[in-house]
Amino acid sequence: MRYFFTLKWCIRYDEGAKEGTAVFNNITGYARPHTMLALLGGNQTSKVTLLKCLAGRIPASGSLNGSLQANGFGIGTTSSRLIGYVEKLDAHQPYLSIRESLQFSAALHLGQEISATSHRIHVELVLNQLGLLPYSNELVGHLRNATGKTFEIAKKITIAVELAANPSILLLEEPISGFDTNGTLAILNILSQVSNSGRVIISTLTHPNARTLSFFDLALILTREGNQAYFGPVGSNCNDLLHYFTSIPKAPHYSRRDSPVRFIMGALGIGTKKRDTPSLNFSQIYQASSLCEMNNKEICNIKKSIKNIRRNYLSSTYPAPYSRQAILIGTDRLVYFREKRTGMYLPVFYPISWAVGEIPYFLMATLAVVGIGNGMAGIGTQSPSEFIKYRTVLFLFTLCLTYFGMMITFLAPVPALAAFAMSIVTSLWVSASEGCGSQCNCPRLQDGSYVWDRLETLRSLSHERIDLDILILSAMCLLFASLASVFFVVLRHNSPPPI
């Protein structure tokens, strides 16, 4: 999978600002299989934003101009399934084991032409490659009790979940951040193995040492303003990288006692060892260098070679068929957002899964209430038909209230507003859904009548039309569930958080 990018600019628009802020400008580069590319430098946002743009995730509050292609596919189309994105802080389903998490990812991302047996074999190979087999049956939420290497295992799970999707390109946000020396080497060795298997690895790094950076074949370095200061080989102990910057006329003097990476970052004015504002324009120097000319020729060669490749265009937007999506999708909101960004879900299946998931729960709950609670009180259990009818009405009523709550929750931009509306509507419905028997001891109104009798008269309620009421309740359940699905998919405040 040959991958090249030419990004002219990316602008982010802050809320309320009339003019946007340039995140990065004029970025070019490429990556071939079996190579690892490191993204360095820049400010707090430019490096990560660049990585997200390389994955086709354009900032929600920004715009991007440029070209991204992987083997001739434009990034952001169906080629998104060829890219795995490992976020710095990721969310996993805590109630699944590590093996089940990978099986979930594989089933959702791998094409339907791959058999279930091949899925399982692929998952086992990924578990073995990342050293997760000893923990594979542990629940993700209980890892802290299973091993003293919780942070390292969690990072491996995040990488493994993406590898289970069998991507050709793997992008990672700060994969070694927070690790000690041993943990860093463990993660880097894993990434090297993944790269040697034929994949492209692109990763952001912050203040790496020379040993860490030497694991990578290529480096792309940004200035503080987001311009490209370097793209090229790293070399053993960063020798190639160091040779480029020390050969620049009037560049700061390099002392062998200094770390190569710290020297370069300091020269750019963005390192831990800060120097004066650099007098050299490293972006212009790179654009005029023979290295930049050589890189541009290499990108042209990649473009020409890609044109000669016969591509099998993917006929479906989603790798997994709709039936598999409907079965797999649960109610884990964070995992849903992660997969939605990669284009693996048909969005409407998510709220539908919520609606369908409530049905067996309320079937059991109403059976317990009517069979045990009402049985002890002698209510609705005088005959089998009365029992079935009472349970059916109670089931549909609670289900209707739940679906109405889902609809209001997806409709309201603020949870407190949804809770307020639900409390009012629930009180009204409950007050109109319970009647008094012949020996009722409930308080009476001033005219001696019961509340239920008055409601029955005013609202034309009747026990004889219970079959019609059951039909109406069923229709209301379907209506509220459908509206909830529409609101979730359409309304903006239900969208994934900005990247």
Side-chain angles (χ1 to χ4, degrees), residues 298-315:
E298 184 66 21
I299 291 175
C300 290
N301 292 334
I302 293 176
K303 289 181 180 180
K304 291 178 182 178
S305 63
I306 287 177
K307 288 181 180 179
N308 299 325
I309 296 177
R310 183 179 178 181
R311 297 186 295 272
N312 294 320
Y313 288 93
L314 305 173
S315 57

Side-chain angles (χ1 to χ4, degrees), residues 40-41 219-223 227-230 241 245 264-265 268:
L40 306 169
L220 193 157
I221 303 178
L222 301 177
T223 65
N227 299 315
Q228 186 168 347
Y230 179 82
L241 186 62
F245 280 93
I264 294 169
M265 294 296 108
L268 294 172

Side-chain angles (χ1 to χ4, degrees), residues 148-161:
K149 299 181 178 180
T150 306
F151 187 69
E152 181 179 330
I153 298 298
K155 178 60 70 173
K156 288 182 179 180
I157 294 173
T158 304
I159 297 173
V161 166

Side-chain angles (χ1 to χ4, degrees), residues 413-484:
V414 181
L417 182 61
F420 178 72
M422 271 302 299
S423 63
I424 295 178
V425 174
T426 302
S427 300
L428 292 174
W429 278 359
V430 171
S431 66
S433 62
E434 297 180 358
C436 286
S438 58
Q439 298 181 354
C440 181
N441 294 321
C442 297
R444 298 173 182 264
L445 297 175
Q446 292 182 353
D447 59 359
S449 63
Y450 293 111
V451 174
W452 168 256
D453 295 331
R454 180 67 63 84
L455 287 173
E456 189 176 25
T457 302
L458 295 176
R459 301 186 183 181
S460 301
L461 302 178
S462 173
H463 287 287
E464 282 71 29
R465 67 172 207 178
I466 191 169
D467 293 335
L468 178 60
D469 290 338
I470 290 176
L471 195 61
I472 294 174
L473 273 175
S474 301
M476 291 174 67
C477 288
L478 182 61
L479 174 65
F480 293 150
S482 300
L483 289 176

Side-chain angles (χ1 to χ4, degrees), residues 3-17:
Y3 178 67
F4 66 89
F5 45 90
T6 303
L7 306 179
K8 294 182 180 179
W9 43 257
C10 177
I11 297 178
R12 181 183 293 275
Y13 296 92
D14 297 326
E15 186 175 354

